[in-house]
Amino acid sequence: AQFAGYTVVDASTVLATHLSETIRCQCHELLGRQEVQTLLDNFSENYPKVIEELIPNMLSLGGVQAVLKNLLKEQVPIKDLLTILETLADYAPMTKDHNVLTEYVRQGLARTITKQCQTKEGDIQLVTLDPRVEEIVSNSVQQTEQGSFLAMEPNLAQKLLAQLSQTLETTIPGSYQPVVLCSPVIRSHFKRLTERLIPRLAVVSPNEITGDTKIQSVGVVGLPDAS
């Protein structure tokens, strides 16, 4: 219904929309081991060899679950299980780090990720990181036996996030999905740095954008006073 030029939406529609958005954003928390096992059982009916090769010889059920949750947390669909599991089978012999494996899988899902980032016109409007910012983030990544994590000085992180917010506000129209492009080495760390301030920000690497996609650089995140 409309009144004085405004569209009137009933309460049930508002509630349903809110619940749908909440579930979409939190679905990674709902993916337990039993749900993953059910997915794999259904998948194995058509591709039994893929499952037999991967689990448990190369990767545990918990490892597969961790990768799927990482994907869902960034709203990457997991419908293409064949690509996901085959990529895991290719790289699991080299590393058991779930975050590293997730990055390899994301590259395998480049067409899906590209489509998510495209505007209605089919291009992608990107904000990039200044080379000095890339270097600062890269130098802040600490390696441990349990994996890597970002250890950035809080004041520097605050300045970087403020500059990012300002750049997005002045370059990305409100109707477009904000997308930041950075190197594969720091992509996951930069995403984790920004997720509390800008949870819907898509952070991608060049390996996740298909070569036939038109790309438009609309801004650069710099840090002029960084030392």
Side-chain angles (χ1 to χ4, degrees):
Q2 290 188 336
F3 180 76
Y6 293 93
T7 299
V8 179
V9 181
D10 62 90
S12 61
T13 300
V14 173
L15 178 60
T17 302
H18 175 72
L19 288 175
S20 177
E21 179 68 12
T22 300
I23 291 172
R24 186 180 68 85
C25 293
Q26 303 299 325
C27 61
H28 64 282
E29 297 182 0
L30 305 176
L31 188 70
R33 290 182 182 239
Q34 185 57 56
E35 287 75 23
V36 173
Q37 186 63 65
T38 300
L39 283 175
L40 297 180
D41 289 343
N42 293 335
F43 179 83
S44 66
E45 293 180 4
N46 294 319
Y47 302 97
K49 292 299 182 182
V50 176
I51 301 297
E52 291 173 10
E53 179 185 4
L54 179 63
I55 304 171
N57 298 326
M58 294 184 181
L59 199 62
S60 67
L61 176 65
V64 174
Q65 177 195 17
V67 172
L68 294 179
K69 291 182 71 169
N70 282 346
L71 295 171
L72 290 174
K73 189 174 182 180
E74 294 192 46
Q75 282 81 57
V76 177
I78 60 173
K79 294 183 293 184
D80 189 359
L81 270 179
L82 180 59
T83 295
I84 293 172
L85 297 177
E86 286 187 336
T87 303
L88 290 177
D90 288 339
Y91 290 98
M94 305 176 193
T95 178
K96 296 298 185 287
D97 187 313
H98 303 152
N99 293 325
V100 174
L101 288 173
T102 300
E103 296 307 300
Y104 284 125
V105 170
R106 286 178 61 95
Q107 294 173 26
L109 297 173
R111 192 157 297 279
T112 297
I113 293 174
T114 296
K115 186 176 180 181
Q116 285 185 303
C117 295
Q118 287 175 317
T119 66
K120 293 180 180 180
E121 292 73 27
D123 64 340
I124 299 180
Q125 299 202 348
L126 292 168
V127 167
T128 58
L129 302 185
D130 181 275
R132 287 196 298 167
V133 173
E134 287 253 4
E135 183 180 5
I136 288 171
V137 176
S138 179
N139 291 340
S140 299
V141 176
Q142 301 293 320
Q143 300 288 341
T144 70
E145 293 183 358
Q146 289 73 38
S148 59
F149 66 96
L150 188 66
M152 183 177 290
E153 198 273 325
N155 288 337
L156 181 57
Q158 186 175 7
K159 290 180 180 179
L160 178 55
L161 291 173
Q163 187 65 35
L164 171 64
S165 297
Q166 181 180 346
T167 303
L168 292 174
E169 288 174 3
T170 56
T171 59
I172 301 292
S175 59
Y176 287 162
Q177 163 74 43
V179 181
V180 171
L181 181 74
C182 60
S183 68
V185 176
I186 69 168
R187 191 213 69 82
S188 62
H189 299 290
F190 190 78
K191 172 60 181 176
R192 282 193 284 273
L193 176 66
T194 64
E195 61 188 1
R196 286 192 177 183
L197 179 66
I198 316 172
R200 292 193 60 212
L201 178 67
V203 180
V204 301
S205 75
N207 297 337
E208 299 168 6
I209 303 297
T210 57
D212 58 348
T213 304
K214 182 180 178 181
I215 295 175
Q216 182 181 1
S217 179
V218 296
V220 178
V221 178
L223 206 56
D225 58 345
S227 56

